Amino acid sequence: GLRVDRLLSSQVFEAAISVSDPARRDVQPQLLKDLRNVRQFISSAGTTAFFDMPWAPMYFALLFVFHWTLGALALVGAAILIALSILNEWLSRRPVTETAQHANTCEQLFEAGRQGSESLQAMGMGQVYRNKWLAAHCNEVLTQTKAADVAGVFSVTTKSTRLILQAAVLAAGAYLVWQRPGTIHDF
């Protein structure tokens, strides 16, 4: 997400500011919002969870079919994962709010630059104003990175917990098979 932002932020800003057609001026702020949305989507932990979610009910049902102990272990693990998600939300709320505030500052600077672009160019201040916007943009990216770091810690913790849970379910399954009379170990 950061790499995409670094590659495109300056060019997107230049392209948006340089639009001189008054009929197309309404798309200028949207360009920066789209870039921000792409960066945040790529770097979010929710993207992975979104693709895992549809398989969870089938996984629980299958485990209960095998044995109630396996299903119960999976439900306890799911409760732990949900608690981690809630804690993640609680701890990342402040950095996300700060990111939104910096994003608002960037949008305001952009809008002021867009409205005064002709004056800025005539006075030779285009580069100076762009650098001011880039500084504000860097603050936004920095706070977004901090928010992503908090989410990343919880993402790693959640993934580790999930892997431990999977190993525990496999171990419990192996134990249940071993304890069952008439299995292969009796030969």
Side-chain angles (χ1 to χ4, degrees), residues 136-151:
H137 178 71
C138 286
N139 285 335
E140 175 194 354
V141 171
L142 180 65
T143 56
Q144 194 272 331
T145 301
K146 288 178 184 177
D149 286 346
V150 170

Side-chain angles (χ1 to χ4, degrees), residues 24 32 75 77 94 139 143 154 165 171 175 178 180:
R24 295 188 58 206
L32 294 175
L75 286 178
R94 182 175 175 215
N139 285 335
T143 56
F154 280 98
L165 175 65
Y175 177 78
W178 192 261
R180 186 172 167 198

Side-chain angles (χ1 to χ4, degrees), residues 45-65:
T47 305
T48 305
F50 176 76
F51 291 109
D52 287 344
M53 188 64 88
W55 296 100
M58 187 177 4
Y59 179 69
F60 289 130
L62 187 61
L63 286 174
F64 274 108
V65 166

Side-chain angles (χ1 to χ4, degrees), residues 61-77:
L62 187 61
L63 286 174
F64 274 108
V65 166
F66 288 138
H67 197 277
W68 70 268
T69 305
L70 299 177
L73 184 59
L75 286 178
V76 168

Side-chain angles (χ1 to χ4, degrees), residues 7 11 17 89 94-95 108 113 119 132 146 154 169:
L7 290 173
Q11 290 88 352
I17 286 291
E89 172 65 27
R94 182 175 175 215
Q108 289 173 353
S119 299
K132 182 177 179 174
K146 288 178 184 177
F154 280 98
V169 168

Side-chain angles (χ1 to χ4, degrees), residues 12-22 24-34 110-111 113-115 117:
V12 169
F13 180 83
E14 290 290 333
I17 286 291
S18 66
V19 173
S20 60
D21 183 6
R24 295 188 58 206
R25 292 249 173 171
D26 60 330
V27 301
Q28 293 172 330
Q30 189 61 41
L31 293 173
L32 294 175
K33 289 178 185 176
D34 289 345
F110 173 78
E111 188 58 31
R114 183 182 70 81
Q115 291 175 358
S117 64

